[in-house]
Amino acid sequence: MRVLGIETSCDETSAAVVDGTGDEAALQSLVILSQDVHRVFGGVVPEIASRAHLTSVQPVVARALADAGVPLDSVDAVAVTHGPGLVGALLVGVSFGKALAHALGVPLAGVHHMEGHLFATSLEDRAAAPPFTALLVSGGHTLLLDVEAWGRYRLLGRTRDDAAGEAFDKVAKLLDLPYPGGPHVERLAAAAGPGAGDGLRFTRPMLRRDQRPDDPDYYDFSFSGLKTAVLNAVRAPRDGAPVPRAAVARAFQDALVGSLVEKTARAVVAHGRTRVVLGGGVAGNRALVAAMRDRLAPHGVTVYAPGARLATDNAAMIARAGLFHLERGERAGLDLNAFATLSIPGLIAA
Amino acid sequence: MITLALDASTYVGTVAVLDGRTVVAAREAAMRGREAERLMPALVDALTAAGVEVRDIARVVCGDGPGSFTSLRIAASIAKGIATGVGAELKRVSSLALVAAGGELPAGGYLAALDALRGEAYFQRVRVHPGGEVALESGFYLGPLAAVAAASRESAAGVIAPRETLDLIVAAAGGSLDGAVPMAPHARGVARLEGALEAADLASWEPRYGRLAEAQVKWEAEHGRPLPDA
């Protein structure tokens, strides 16, 4: 089945073509158009993002088809992100996708954005398939899941305040770094070298040795306190001298990564998994991937991380997740709507 | 030639299927549904009622605003999706013109108006010719509700607007306004607007929203220059 994916949940307009069956499906093309306009605002402006999607969606789809070398009438189905995300932005993709599917006379699948991230890495490495422990880390979400099988997701933990990517953006702002902050903080942290620079160390958030598996915060995350710690470090000079920004970035990243890695390790042990799959924009952070591999490799666990294009918001993962639902006979109606918040389909009780 | 027309400049979206200049089916849909998006089902329902297959559509005409940002985009996205899928020509038409053309009016000059929120309205001079053809006589303006009433009195052109918007304009005029007629934009009005249709580029076309995004307005006021990359 050849699936055209469309993704417009935030500030990337993306289209992709995925062709094949199940885990053998292959990515034929992926086009991602990022909206640079939001940089001056330090964050995504929903109305501006929505307007940009409308003038991008058709050319991005046309380009994805051209890159795949396939005509429009060879598309067997359309898959589109319908939540969670910015509703105005989502509605452009949803409305265009519905109309296109109807015009072509092909089925439509509505895809949960975060379920898409679960599938992303499998397009690059077919071994990144269930069962596995998943850590999804982006600007809007931080989710720790046990994935028994595609379509069966056990939510173990989530952030109680800021998402990991959001924390990177806020800390970047405190350090006078541009938006989006993740790559800039990572580069600055790398400049500090190992040892968290100048002895600065932040507490790993929501991570205590005496936590038990039945504690409500055993798998959960919290990053707002870490952001406050950064703020205090930036504002309060030590011995009359400001703390080097690189040291602050390094200490922040070490604390955030430390929390993500340890909670993921807990989930791996508790569910006896031998694979960890990372997803979302923060999964592109090399320090996170390296720390996760260092921590879990001695236990025989393989860590799969997506490449940069599949870590960011993209339509390839939407097409792949859509393929999964379409192969199960699931179809979205033409009244498909967009939702700012949305439960992942297939979520089972923890 | 089969034309699919749609408009969603207000919280009521409208669809019409035309064969030549004859309206063969028309539908309306609320644009504020939380669980379901209703304009696309209304479109399919209209095609079914008209006995027309989607592949038979040769032209898509979409309301070009001004009006509700999100609703305009839903209609525009659907228009682009259909036009892309069937290879149809895409055209745009003023949503204010669809106010005048969407119903029956005596020949004459009118001020078509749509709510712009914040005590303002979008308005445009239109003319209904004998026989019903509608033509635009100006670009559209954005101004206080009272300005619409004043323009109506000055030009002796009756205001035509959706009921809720008209009530606001009449209230701003002091409680009465001669020649005011409640009229809502409707896609079936495309049948009377052949001369007012404009080509729309499938890739780059976007509706005339009537306002910039609020964040853009603030940024440009603060920096004294246009927003880069916008």
Side-chain angles (χ1 to χ4, degrees):
Chain A
M1 183 184 291
R2 179 173 291 151
V3 182
L4 171 68
I6 299 171
E7 153 69 30
T8 63
S9 66
C10 193
D11 60 343
E12 265 96 19
T13 314
S14 180
V17 177
V18 164
D19 196 8
T21 305
D23 288 336
E24 301 301 311
L27 178 60
Q28 292 194 318
S29 68
L30 170 60
V31 177
I32 304 172
L33 185 61
S34 296
Q35 301 173 7
D36 291 339
V37 63
H38 304 286
R39 292 175 193 270
V40 301
F41 295 104
V44 177
V45 179
E47 177 60 25
I48 292 175
S50 304
R51 293 184 182 196
H53 284 308
L54 181 60
T55 53
S56 303
V57 65
Q58 190 276 338
V60 164
V61 165
R63 177 67 184 271
L65 291 166
D67 286 357
V70 297
L72 183 59
D73 61 9
S74 74
V75 169
D76 298 312
V78 175
V80 62
T81 310
H82 74 120
L86 304 173
V87 169
L90 286 163
L91 275 167
V92 173
V94 167
S95 302
F96 182 88
K98 289 196 300 187
L100 184 61
H102 182 70
L104 295 174
V106 300
L108 174 75
V111 175
H112 190 289
H113 179 81
M114 299 311 291
E115 187 182 27
H117 277 300
L118 288 174
F119 279 89
T121 311
S122 70
L123 286 167
E124 292 177 325
D125 191 335
R126 287 176 183 168
F132 59 75
T133 300
L135 177 68
L136 302 183
V137 275
S138 67
H141 302 271
T142 303
L143 300 174
L144 183 61
L145 300 121
D146 183 64
V147 178
E148 291 179 14
W150 294 129
R152 283 185 65 80
Y153 314 124
R154 192 180 306 272
L155 178 61
L156 302 175
R158 64 198 322 163
T159 182
R160 295 185 172 192
D161 38 61
D162 294 346
E166 188 181 2
F168 268 103
D169 287 338
K170 289 178 176 177
V171 165
K173 198 168 185 178
L174 292 173
L175 296 174
D176 295 324
L177 296 170
Y179 171 88
H184 296 285
V185 172
E186 183 180 2
R187 273 194 291 274
L188 188 58
D198 294 344
L200 185 64
R201 185 183 191 281
F202 297 131
T203 302
R204 273 59 180 154
M206 208 164 273
L207 194 64
R208 304 184 311 278
R209 286 184 181 162
D210 62 353
Q211 279 173 312
R212 311 291 304 168
D214 54 353
D215 287 348
D217 62 353
Y218 188 68
Y219 292 118
D220 279 352
F221 305 96
S222 169
F223 301 118
S224 69
L226 182 57
K227 177 193 64 189
T228 304
V230 170
L231 177 65
N232 291 336
V234 170
R235 283 184 176 172
R238 287 186 309 174
D239 305 325
V243 181
R245 291 190 318 148
V248 175
R250 177 68 190 234
F252 159 76
Q253 182 173 271
D254 283 353
L256 183 140
V257 165
S259 178
L260 294 173
V261 168
E262 283 310 312
K263 302 262 174 166
T264 304
R266 287 175 174 177
V268 166
V269 170
H271 294 84
R273 301 305 182 205
T274 58
R275 290 187 282 265
V276 166
V277 172
L278 305 180
V282 181
N285 182 292
R286 291 177 191 174
L288 169 63
V289 177
M292 194 73 79
R293 287 182 172 146
D294 287 348
R295 173 71 174 80
L296 295 171
H299 301 280
V301 176
T302 306
V303 176
Y304 299 90
R309 292 207 317 153
L310 291 176
T312 193
D313 293 346
N314 70 86
M317 66 185 196
I318 301 305
R320 175 63 189 91
L323 173 65
F324 166 71
H325 289 287
L326 290 158
E327 286 181 326
R328 294 210 305 186
E330 298 170 16
R331 303 286 185 269
L334 291 177
D335 62 349
L336 182 72
N337 210 350
F339 299 94
T341 59
L342 191 66
S343 292
I344 299 178
L347 213 57
I348 54 180
Chain B
M1 179 175 69
I2 299 295
T3 296
L4 172 69
L6 62 166
D7 178 75
S9 52
T10 70
Y11 299 129
V12 178
T14 61
V15 182
V17 180
L18 291 79
D19 187 351
R21 299 186 70 171
T22 303
V23 177
V24 288
R27 292 290 186 272
E28 297 79 37
M31 297 301 294
R32 279 184 155 175
R34 292 189 64 183
E35 294 306 313
E37 189 288 304
R38 302 184 193 286
L39 188 60
M40 187 66 205
L43 182 157
V44 175
D45 194 27
L47 289 173
T48 303
V52 168
E53 297 290 334
V54 66
R55 63 175 175 272
D56 296 333
I57 296 169
R59 184 172 69 167
V60 179
V61 180
C62 190
D64 192 31
S68 166
F69 297 170
T70 301
S71 297
L72 284 172
R73 263 194 303 274
I74 291 172
S77 301
I78 290 174
K80 288 190 176 191
I82 295 286
T84 299
V86 301
E89 177 186 21
L90 182 63
K91 295 250 180 182
R92 60 192 174 97
V93 66
S94 161
S95 297
L96 285 158
L98 291 172
V99 177
E104 299 295 330
L105 281 173
Y110 297 89
L111 272 185
L114 289 168
D115 191 8
L117 305 177
R118 307 178 202 168
E120 294 184 312
Y122 306 110
F123 57 104
Q124 185 166 25
R125 289 180 56 86
V126 296
R127 178 158 297 277
V128 177
H129 292 289
E133 189 74 12
V134 174
L136 297 166
E137 291 195 323
S138 72
F140 77 79
Y141 304 96
L142 170 64
L145 295 166
V148 183
S152 170
R153 286 177 174 140
E154 190 177 310
S155 62
V159 175
I160 51 174
R163 168 69 71 183
E164 298 80 5
T165 307
L166 197 62
D167 288 347
L168 293 171
I169 293 169
V170 170
S176 68
L177 189 61
D178 290 344
V181 181
M183 298 274 288
H186 201 295
R188 64 179 168 239
V190 165
R192 296 175 174 177
L193 283 161
E194 193 62 38
L197 305 184
E198 297 177 70
D201 181 72
L202 191 52
S204 63
W205 170 68
E206 61 178 333
R208 286 178 278 202
Y209 293 103
R211 293 183 194 274
L212 295 175
E214 190 66 20
Q216 183 172 353
V217 173
K218 287 181 180 173
W219 192 93
E220 293 183 351
E222 188 178 328
H223 294 81
R225 58 188 169 92
L227 180 67
D229 299 321

